[in-house]
Amino acid sequence: KQEVTQIPAALSVPEGENLVLNCSFTDSAIYNLQWFRQDPGKGLTSLLLIQSSQREQTSGRLNASLDKSSGRSTLYIAASQPGDSATYLCAVRPGSNYQLIWGAGTKLIIKP
Amino acid sequence: DAGVTQSPTHLIKTRGQHVTLRCSPISGHKSVSWYQQVLGQGPQFIFQYYEKEERGRGNFPDRFSARQFPNYSSELNVNALLLGDSALYLCASSQTTGGAEAFFGQGTRLTVV
């Protein structure tokens, strides 16, 4: 059974720092992995999608990497800003069915 | 183009009542999935529909049901509401099933009192 874990559950850093959010999964047989952002009480905004054949994806100040063999993905945020404060969730789509399986998220606070 | 739209955004229901939540996918997307998110947790998969057929069902009781219409919009129905059904209900839209990127609506916040 696929399980997704995100550590830490919460992170607070000063503005301007580069930071890394972690996502681990137990079964390496995945179609893809997706990172999302969620603002309080709101829906989910897709940030990056990494296909199983890819190693990384970049969008602006965000870079996501995927290491299937070790069951890990990281989301790198460069030059963090207060507007980056949100909960970041990763989700994997297993190779054998269609549902997304989610981590519980990392709540990120960027201090001005 | 409009994104995924869900209605209503908020609603309050009493235990035992029935509720219908609605979702319109992104134009051209044929797959709709429903998720339940309890505060502080990641979303849990409820249903997936593609081309009006159920393609997946999560571990939810039979009180939960859904359908997809010819225009690919979808409804999620919950009968005999319980306090524990209070959650954010999220709808995801994708072009196809499998590896397609999922795009989410803003969610419907359901409170059962």
Side-chain angles (χ1 to χ4, degrees), chain A residues 36-79:
Chain A
F36 294 87
R37 168 187 173 138
Q38 187 172 35
D39 293 288
K42 304 294 185 182
L44 296 157
T45 300
S46 178
L47 298 174
L48 289 164
L49 170 71
I50 309 178
Q51 301 292 350
S52 61
S53 59
Q54 297 175 321
R55 297 283 293 182
E56 65 178 322
Q57 282 286 339
T58 298
S59 176
R61 294 183 294 110
L62 306 179
N63 175 278
S65 67
L66 175 63
D67 183 346
K68 284 202 315 177
S69 61
S70 66
R72 292 190 59 202
S73 177
T74 61
L75 179 67
Y76 175 83
I77 303 176

Side-chain angles (χ1 to χ4, degrees), chain A residues 31-32 34 36 38 41-44 46 48-49 51 89 93 98-100 102-104, chain B residues 35 37 40-43 45 48 55 88 90 97-102 104-106 109:
Chain A
Y31 275 164
N32 57 37
Q34 208 167 341
F36 294 87
Q38 187 172 35
K42 304 294 185 182
L44 296 157
S46 178
L48 289 164
L49 170 71
Q51 301 292 350
L89 297 103
R93 193 180 297 278
Y98 308 115
Q99 64 176 291
L100 285 170
W102 299 78
Chain B
Y35 293 82
Q37 187 180 25
Q41 298 181 18
F45 171 72
Q48 184 189 35
R55 291 300 188 95
L88 181 67
L90 295 160
T97 58
E101 185 173 4
F104 283 78
Q106 81 282 9
R109 172 68 64 185

Side-chain angles (χ1 to χ4, degrees), chain B residues 1 3-4 25-26 31 35-36 53 55 71 74 81 84 90 100 105 108:
Chain B
D1 283 343
V4 180
I26 293 170
S31 177
Y35 293 82
Q36 179 195 67
E53 292 187 0
R55 291 300 188 95
N71 67 353
S74 178
L81 285 166
L90 295 160
T108 294

